[in-house]
Amino acid sequence: MIPQRIDVHQHVVPPDYRKWLNSHDVGRAGGIDLPHWTIDGALEVAERFGITRSVLSVSTPGVHLGDDAEARTMSRAVNDYTAEVVQAHPDRFGFFATLTLPDVEGAIVEAERALSTLHADGVILLANSCGRYLGDPAFDPLMEILDLHHAIVLVHPGELPGPSVDGIPSFAMDFLLDTTRAAFNLVKNNVLRRYPNLRFILSHAGGFLPYASHRISLAMVATGARDPFEALRDFADFYYDTALSGSPAALPSLLAFAKPGRVLYGSDWPFAPAMAGGYFNNLLDSNETLDPHTRDAINSNNAEALFAHTEPARVR
């Protein structure tokens, strides 16, 4: 029997967004070609994977390619498109709204519209926006607004603010570092405690964070920013998704580190093709170290509990 899953990390590629990226000579993201997305394709993979609900989001590079006005226009367009998809299939989809960072003013306006009018389930923020990482004090006004909405924030990696290495696709390693950097900066600048109503989901099991958390926490001593043991508790307080990370190598480290109830299912489709998603699903389903309660929690129960506190509570 196929497990029933809630997918918190599934992407959408609106047609006009694809055209806009192509007009800027962006045909690849994370080292792979932009995939084609259709509603039928999303429903087909949901049937194949046992996904009862998919929370859609736009992946890297997001909508800010250097021009604030363009970013604002495109964020409205992709959020309106995705909201229409959700409205047409309210029992199958939810969505995380795309914002305009590093344009903070535009991000606040669109966050208010998306959360209040479009009834988004949360927002997606890139780990770094034009080289500025989440946790940057300049982003605090947006955090204040999101905190007022008790928002769920999916943190998704992007290209590192530096040169890539030829022959190594960004998604393979750079993405993991990007997410880890964002998590460190959020904790270093005490964002989780200053804005306690925010719930952050770290993509791809948090990058390198669970595995290297104790080592990373020592950097709090080196910078003089936070008590390292307090920082460890904050690191464990993030939510984490299993996109491309449900392996017998990665999952034990994640479950040993994250607080109970903090691990959520993610497929990363269609940037991760169905073959890759099926591979990681099989690893998750066949993991003999997981008891049925833990497996059900990862597949759906933890997400149900998380989204039950949102308005509207779509993902149930």
Side-chain angles (χ1 to χ4, degrees):
M1 185 171 120
I2 299 176
Q4 299 300 290
R5 315 184 206 266
I6 293 173
D7 190 352
V8 303
H9 188 150
Q10 187 175 135
H11 294 302
V12 60
V13 186
D16 287 346
Y17 175 63
R18 170 188 287 278
K19 292 177 184 176
W20 177 74
L21 288 178
N22 289 339
S23 74
H24 287 274
D25 297 322
V26 178
R28 292 169 66 82
I32 60 175
D33 292 339
L34 290 172
H36 287 276
W37 183 92
T38 64
I39 293 176
D40 288 344
L43 293 174
E44 181 181 338
V45 81
E47 187 71 19
R48 177 174 174 179
F49 288 172
I51 296 170
T52 59
R53 187 77 57 124
S54 305
V55 189
L56 303 175
S57 59
V58 167
S59 185
T60 185
V63 295
H64 202 294
L65 300 182
D67 184 283
D68 287 356
E70 250 192 331
R72 295 182 187 193
T73 298
M74 189 49 56
S75 68
R76 290 181 65 91
V78 299
N79 290 334
D80 285 345
Y81 175 89
T82 314
E84 289 174 3
V85 170
V86 174
Q87 187 174 21
H89 300 272
D91 295 330
R92 303 305 300 271
F93 297 113
F95 83 105
F96 291 124
T98 296
L99 305 183
T100 62
L101 289 183
D103 168 25
V104 175
E105 182 179 344
I108 289 172
V109 171
E110 187 59 18
E112 290 277 20
R113 188 183 79 94
L115 294 169
S116 299
T117 303
L118 300 182
H119 305 301
D121 294 284
V123 303
I124 181 169
L125 298 177
L126 294 181
N128 89 84
S129 299
C130 302
R132 302 183 75 168
Y133 275 89
L134 295 179
D136 190 315
F139 298 159
D140 280 356
L142 174 62
M143 297 300 116
E144 292 175 9
I145 295 300
L146 296 177
D147 187 69
L148 289 174
H149 283 275
H150 292 231
I152 298 171
V153 180
L154 176 63
V155 178
H156 194 282
E159 299 292 344
L160 292 176
S164 61
V165 178
D166 289 343
I168 302 179
S170 300
F171 78 86
M173 283 171 272
D174 292 355
F175 271 17
L176 304 179
L177 176 57
D178 203 41
T179 301
T180 306
R181 285 178 172 180
F184 177 86
N185 213 40
L186 286 164
V187 170
K188 174 178 176 287
N189 291 312
N190 208 23
V191 172
L192 278 69
R193 298 194 181 212
R194 290 190 292 119
Y195 304 106
N197 296 318
L198 293 180
R199 277 74 48 81
F200 289 94
I201 304 171
L202 300 182
S203 297
H204 312 120
F208 302 125
L209 181 59
Y211 179 79
S213 54
H214 288 258
R215 174 175 177 154
I216 291 169
S217 71
L218 293 178
M220 297 295 173
V221 178
T223 61
R226 298 283 305 279
D227 174 270
F229 297 105
E230 185 179 81
L232 273 174
R233 290 192 291 272
D234 285 358
F235 286 143
D237 210 28
F238 285 112
Y239 287 81
Y240 298 83
D241 73 48
T242 65
L244 302 178
S245 305
S247 73
L251 195 58
S253 178
L254 176 58
L255 291 174
F257 178 69
K259 288 183 179 178
R262 292 298 204 266
V263 180
L264 316 167
Y265 172 80
S267 72
D268 213 347
W269 188 83
F271 281 86
M275 179 181 67
Y279 172 77
F280 283 98
N281 285 348
N282 289 337
L283 290 176
L284 177 62
D285 295 342
S286 62
N287 191 322
E288 295 180 355
T289 67
L290 295 181
D291 61 77
H293 172 78
T294 301
R295 186 177 285 107
D296 289 346
I298 293 171
N299 279 325
S300 62
N301 293 346
N302 291 342
E304 288 178 348
L306 172 63
F307 285 91
H309 298 292
T310 63
E311 287 293 337
R314 290 189 185 279
V315 183
R316 285 193 266 185

